[in-house]
Amino acid sequence: MIEHAGHLPGLTRDEVRWRSVRHAAWRETVEIALPELDEAQAQALCARVRADARSRLKRMDVARIVAVIDEAIARLLDRQHPLRRKAEDLLPIVTGYDRETVRLGLTSYLKTFRRPQLQRFLAEDFSNPGMLDTFQPAAKGGFVRAYGPELLLHVWAGNVPALPLWSLICGLLVKAGTVGKLASAEPLMAGWFAGLIAEIDPELGECLAIVWWKGGEAAGEAAFLRAADTVIAYGSNATLEALRAKLPATTRFLPHGHKIGFGMIARTALDSRKAMMLARLAAHDVARYEQQGCYSPQLLFVERGGRVTPGEFARYVAHELAALAHRHPRRALSPEETASVAAWRGAQELRALDGGTELFGEPADPWSVVHVEKPEALNPTGLNRTLKLVSVDSLDAVPALVAPYRSYLQTAGIAAPPAELFRLAGRLGEVGVTRIAALSHMGAPEAGWHHDGRFSLLDLVTMTEIEHSAEAAAEGFAPYAD
Amino acid sequence: MTQAEIVEALLAFIAAPEATEAEFEAMALTVFSYQFRHNEPYRRFALQRGRTPLSVRRWRDIPAVPITAFKDLTLSCSPPERAERIFMTSGTTQGVRGRSYHPTLAVYDHSMLLNFRARFMRGRDRIPMGILFPDETALPNSSLAHYLALARHECGTPDSAVFIGEPGLDLDRMLATLAAAEASGEPYALLGASYSFVPVMDALTARGQRFAMPAGSLILDTGGFKGQSREMAPDEFYDGLSATFGVPRSACINMYGMTELSTQFYDDGNATTPPVKSGPHWIRSRVVDPLTGTDLPEGARGVLVHHDLAHFNCVSAILTEDAGEIVPDGFRLFGRMGGAESKGCSVAVAEFLAAARG
């Protein structure tokens, strides 16, 4: 079976060149056909989306867009819906994640885009979301209206299923004509979602396109990059820099680089009952999407002085990861990924020669835990369920240990009593952490979160203001003016 | 066993014409005992793996240290400050270079020369050589500089020359030498780092100049490009050498060596790539799953482990970062097994280190 990816309004399947890519996992294979537009097609598509956005999308009320998204999400949450079934069938083969991980992940993720949550998105960024539809009175006087870009280009990356929906939906909420570039590692969900939107509201469906090109190579790339008013991009700093260098100076660029997540466990959370539970929650965060998410923990800082020592806690986490491996088997690793895990584990093993380091699990286990007694700075692990636990005398030492890596910081998972939570949060915010979550929630940001500390919607719009002077002066020109 | 005894035993082992599996195994176990006894960090490493001279019965079970250990640990059976020579890696991790300590170069030199004569010299005693790499006085810690110096002194004719000095490549002198060699009709050998050949080829192409070196001429390159020149695909590289110097690809030999070894591997020319690489009877290679260290079957791609008896003072068994597969007469090398970038949006080690280097 061949699955055609993307969503290309105005183009028939026969008009487009397709590049076939084979994915295999869990003893199944699937062939994905990715659209490769030539330069003229790319230009025409961008022009068409821009024109439709101008003439149709900009005239729609946000309420209508919200209703369409809500309906599309409802269908994807319905496990009997053919598209949902297809997603549950194909995404494990394409991404390598096990079936249950994909199923549970999809449901918990999609739930954040129903109507009430979408309203939360809007309320989070706009004191009065009505300003996306009409001019609204401004607090300082006058009136203000928010406009999304006419053409917003998303450059997605990574294999976390459905992740692109986040920025895709944000763009639609601000009425942006949308072109999204699929990630090769998960090239399906965004196109399917766009297809659903088109099915529910054909007019809205004309205002978005989902495309693909081979990064840096394709003829179409330049056309897409030239056409966009705003570009949201995900990837490594090297990828983002290369992309930025190709954009016109007037294009707004919103990059989201790779991040490293970490956790902090206070001694008060380490009594024998709570520690077991916490270990399970932490293991859950580690196993979720194999630490590929920007919010995934790679290190846990554990405070000494609790009933359960950091070393014992490490043992608990190792135990939980071993148990999880049965329920949610790790995806098959590429030779490079295996080499990364081996290199990390090998380095830990060498350090263990000097004492103060304990390794848990056998090299062949689908997880690896190391515990070190000496405090050390933030450092990535080998990913794919490899976790380091670092003992600290006090969690107050942690901000200094992570501060040098400000540009890589985003999510911290904290288990601590309320007063300590707020005190630590204040210090973490100062060094660049932008999101603090409970353990087990690190991988599931809540609706309306500020990705990398930025505004998901507000960053996309420009404001047009009618100053009070204009409004007052207009009175002088009214037919009823005395 | 004392150092003098192990050196004597190894010189004899190397000088023997061949070694059976059993003879290699016996010598490997002897060397392992010696290293286990005198190399403190290696002993701790082996103990951590549960491998001691008492428990290990096969050479394949002798624990291989990851080459990064040469950066993190002082791996030496003799006091490092009394080393006759310390070879250091050119690559660093956060400023730290891997080190191999040599209390004597007798074993290294013996290993290098016997093997070099057998694999590169093709029956000759001496050949005029041009070296595309700085000499030993400029780079005293480079194992390659020492290797090339040995080659030149022991196997080169007196008029052999080093073309890379303090100010860099002396292209004019090199071209004059090559022109003279071309006219003489006598075979000539060019040896150097792979990346040193690239600017020479580029310069000659720019001038529209080519050589047709006499039949029997040889080229030896080693080490890859290491960011020192532009990267070239293997076929592009050997086609370029062949076109520029008129030396057929079958006479372009690639040497695969490492600072962490005292013995080198060669192919028998690069008419097709990747060629089969092999070493002499005192070094053996395995291809393993990097995580578990277990041997992979012939033809399966994994990470190379080398077991070099000549590297007696440090550690003989090393786990490389090179991808390879075992084939009937040796192994094929596929370059570095790089770490993976994250498939998602988490930071992976490679990106983090690159950022730390700035």
Side-chain angles (χ1 to χ4, degrees):
Chain A
M1 188 191 70
I2 293 182
E3 179 67 25
H4 285 79
H7 172 73
L8 306 167
L11 283 165
T12 63
R13 200 166 274 182
D14 294 341
E15 290 173 281
V16 176
R17 197 153 53 94
W18 297 87
R19 179 189 293 224
S20 177
V21 180
R22 211 176 153 78
H23 292 262
W26 311 108
R27 294 191 204 87
E28 290 184 82
T29 59
V30 59
E31 195 101 1
I32 311 283
L34 297 164
E36 283 190 297
L37 305 193
D38 61 31
E39 197 172 354
Q41 286 172 325
Q43 271 170 356
L45 186 68
C46 290
R48 180 190 165 106
V49 168
R50 181 187 285 276
D52 276 321
R54 195 181 286 160
S55 64
R56 304 183 189 202
L57 184 52
K58 300 290 180 194
R59 296 178 204 293
M60 292 182 197
D61 284 346
V62 171
R64 171 172 162 188
I65 300 168
V66 166
V68 176
I69 297 171
D70 184 56
E71 173 61 25
I73 294 292
R75 293 187 192 181
L76 286 172
L77 280 168
D78 172 8
R79 294 202 57 209
Q80 301 312 315
H81 191 277
L83 207 48
R84 169 70 185 223
R85 289 163 74 150
K86 187 147 81 171
E88 289 190 20
D89 279 347
L90 298 189
L91 290 176
I93 308 173
V94 170
T95 63
Y97 297 119
D98 77 280
R99 224 157 258 288
E100 276 299 279
T101 297
V102 168
R103 183 179 73 78
L104 296 171
L106 276 182
T107 298
S108 87
Y109 183 65
L110 291 169
K111 278 192 326 197
T112 56
F113 301 114
R114 288 167 304 172
R115 189 196 307 262
Q117 286 72 29
L118 294 174
Q119 283 165 338
R120 194 170 299 285
F121 266 90
L122 290 162
E124 199 56 47
D125 280 16
F126 296 101
S127 53
N128 177 359
M131 71 176 71
L132 286 163
D133 292 332
T134 55
F135 281 98
Q136 299 287 321
K140 66 172 174 58
F143 284 78
V144 63
R145 184 170 171 184
Y147 292 91
E150 278 186 354
L151 195 65
L152 170 62
L153 174 67
H154 306 260
V155 180
W156 293 308
N159 72 347
V160 176
L163 204 60
L165 296 195
W166 192 280
S167 71
L168 178 55
I169 286 172
C170 288
L172 292 179
L173 288 177
V174 299
K175 308 182 191 180
T178 294
V179 175
K181 175 189 181 278
L182 294 163
S184 306
E186 199 282 78
L188 295 175
M189 264 314 264
W192 289 338
F193 181 76
L196 266 184
I197 296 279
E199 195 179 302
I200 296 163
D201 186 335
E203 215 182 357
L204 185 53
E206 292 290 307
C207 304
L208 78 162
I210 307 297
V211 302
W212 182 83
W213 70 81
K214 175 112 184 95
E217 276 185 17
E221 180 178 48
F224 287 117
L225 297 182
R226 260 199 320 270
D229 304 314
T230 301
V231 175
I232 301 184
Y234 301 82
S236 68
N237 285 343
T239 307
L240 294 173
E241 269 162 33
L243 195 58
R244 172 154 56 194
K246 291 180 201 162
L247 292 177
T250 48
T251 304
R252 219 167 131 62
F253 186 55
L254 304 170
H256 290 286
H258 291 167
K259 304 290 176 196
I260 172 170
F262 64 94
M264 297 166 72
I265 321 278
R267 67 170 70 92
T268 37
L270 291 173
D271 68 31
S272 43
R273 191 176 53 82
K274 293 194 195 108
M276 290 276 204
M277 190 187 63
L278 272 178
R280 186 166 314 144
L281 300 179
H284 179 85
D285 276 335
V286 170
R288 189 181 178 114
Y289 296 132
E290 316 295 2
Q291 289 171 308
Q292 303 294 322
C294 45
Y295 35 56
S296 306
Q298 301 192 39
L299 261 85
L300 297 179
F301 295 99
V302 188
E303 198 172 43
R304 290 197 186 87
R307 286 245 174 82
V308 171
T309 66
E312 286 163 341
F313 185 68
R315 191 174 299 278
Y316 291 170
V317 176
H319 176 76
E320 292 296 339
L321 281 173
L324 264 180
H326 291 292
R327 254 181 300 143
H328 299 290
R330 180 168 73 182
R331 43 181 274 282
L333 304 187
S334 69
E336 289 76 19
E337 287 175 311
T338 307
S340 291
V341 172
W344 179 75
R345 215 188 133 88
Q348 306 311 313
E349 198 180 0
L350 290 176
R351 298 198 27 195
L353 296 179
D354 296 331
T357 297
E358 196 178 358
L359 268 162
F360 299 88
E362 295 302 313
D365 286 336
W367 54 273
S368 236
V369 169
V370 63
H371 164 237
V372 298
E373 284 293 352
K374 267 197 236 143
E376 60 180 71
L378 199 59
N379 225 312
T381 63
L383 302 182
N384 294 301
R385 306 194 193 185
T386 56
L387 180 72
K388 178 176 272 190
L389 291 95
V390 179
S391 296
V392 288
D393 287 330
S394 161
L395 290 184
D396 287 318
V398 174
L401 294 173
V402 303
Y405 308 103
R406 186 178 193 105
S407 62
Y408 290 117
L409 299 181
Q410 181 205 71
T411 297
I414 298 190
E420 203 173 344
L421 168 68
F422 279 91
R423 186 165 49 79
L424 291 170
R427 300 204 33 216
L428 291 173
E430 283 168 8
V431 300
V433 171
T434 55
R435 173 172 171 255
I436 288 160
L439 290 186
S440 94
H441 285 72
M442 291 181 73
E446 62 191 12
W449 79 309
H450 293 107
H451 186 187
D452 292 341
R454 297 301 315 173
F455 292 89
S456 309
L457 304 180
L458 215 44
D459 270 358
L460 296 175
V461 301
T462 52
M463 298 296 192
T464 296
E465 294 178 315
I466 303 172
E467 292 201 347
H468 177 66
S469 63
E471 187 195 350
E475 290 294 341
F477 310 119
Y480 52 76
D482 294 327
Chain B
M1 224 178 198
T2 64
Q3 180 178 302
E5 285 166 338
I6 196 103
V7 166
E8 191 188 347
L10 282 167
L11 291 175
F13 189 88
I14 289 170
E18 260 309 323
T20 63
E21 171 88 7
E23 285 162 346
F24 181 85
E25 190 139 80
M27 193 68 214
L29 292 172
T30 303
V31 172
F32 176 48
S33 292
Y34 176 80
Q35 292 171 346
F36 186 86
R37 177 147 178 216
H38 297 286
N39 185 337
E40 163 68 20
Y42 183 50
R43 174 166 63 237
R44 277 185 281 142
F45 177 83
L47 283 170
Q48 189 168 288
R49 291 271 172 100
R51 308 276 173 89
T52 70
L54 282 177
S55 69
V56 171
R57 287 276 163 268
R58 304 180 329 144
W59 72 269
R60 290 174 182 274
D61 295 332
I62 294 170
V65 298
I67 53 165
T68 147
F70 286 81
K71 298 187 173 107
D72 300 336
L73 306 172
T74 302
L75 293 170
S76 180
C77 291
S78 57
E81 65 280 6
R82 271 193 256 149
E84 178 187 337
R85 193 69 81 83
I86 303 172
F87 290 142
M88 299 188 196
T89 56
S90 52
T92 71
T93 304
Q94 291 173 329
V96 183
R97 300 168 74 185
R99 286 153 191 263
S100 279
Y101 301 89
H102 295 270
T104 161
L105 284 172
V107 180
Y108 182 100
D109 291 358
H110 193 45
S111 161
M112 181 277 169
L113 276 171
L114 272 181
N115 195 22
F116 183 80
R117 289 207 170 97
R119 301 300 297 273
F120 184 74
M121 292 301 285
R122 298 189 168 181
R124 292 184 194 84
D125 256 2
R126 290 187 179 269
I127 187 169
M129 290 183 184
I131 309 285
L132 288 176
F133 197 73
D135 72 9
E136 260 186 307
T137 44
L139 296 176
N141 295 118
S142 161
S143 56
L144 180 58
H146 177 68
Y147 167 99
L148 291 168
L150 262 183
R152 184 160 63 97
H153 292 136
E154 302 297 325
C155 306
T157 55
D159 55 342
S160 296
V162 177
F163 295 125
I164 295 185
E166 192 79 24
L169 173 70
D170 188 345
L171 188 65
D172 293 338
R173 189 159 69 93
M174 175 178 171
L175 298 187
T177 309
L178 290 182
E182 189 179 21
S184 77
E186 291 298 316
Y188 190 81
L190 270 175
L191 302 86
S194 313
Y195 56 77
S196 306
F197 284 95
V198 178
V200 176
M201 286 194 268
D202 289 348
L204 285 170
T205 308
R207 298 175 184 202
Q209 194 177 349
R210 286 176 170 208
F211 289 96
M213 302 304 289
S217 294
L218 297 165
I219 290 178
L220 180 141
D221 80 286
T222 185
F225 305 102
K226 294 181 175 168
Q228 302 279 325
S229 74
R230 71 193 157 85
E231 289 280 329
M232 292 179 78
D235 281 325
E236 182 193 7
F237 180 70
Y238 291 109
D239 280 342
L241 286 181
S242 177
T244 310
F245 300 108
V247 175
R249 283 179 55 163
S250 57
C252 294
I253 293 163
N254 174 268
M255 183 273 276
Y256 165 50
M258 301 171 74
T259 304
E260 297 88 348
L261 295 175
S262 293
T263 303
Q264 297 77 34
F265 300 96
Y266 298 91
D267 51 52
D268 293 321
N270 279 272
T272 57
T273 57
V276 176
K277 292 251 187 308
S278 56
H281 64 262
W282 57 92
I283 189 167
R284 292 199 176 210
S285 301
R286 303 159 53 205
V287 165
V288 302
D289 175 311
L291 259 179
T292 60
T294 50
D295 283 278
L296 294 178
E298 202 169 288
R301 195 178 291 204
V303 173
L304 282 161
V305 166
H306 301 305
H307 202 114
D308 179 15
L309 301 183
H311 210 54
F312 73 96
N313 186 60
C314 300
V315 171
S316 284
I318 62 163
L319 172 67
T320 70
E321 292 167 355
D322 297 323
E325 71 182 29
I326 296 287
V327 294
D329 291 316
F331 59 87
R332 281 186 214 279
L333 178 67
F334 299 104
R336 232 178 94 83
M337 177 78 93
E341 244 198 35
S342 152
K343 285 203 184 312
C345 42
S346 54
V347 177
V349 174
E351 186 184 356
F352 200 77
L353 284 180
R357 276 196 295 271

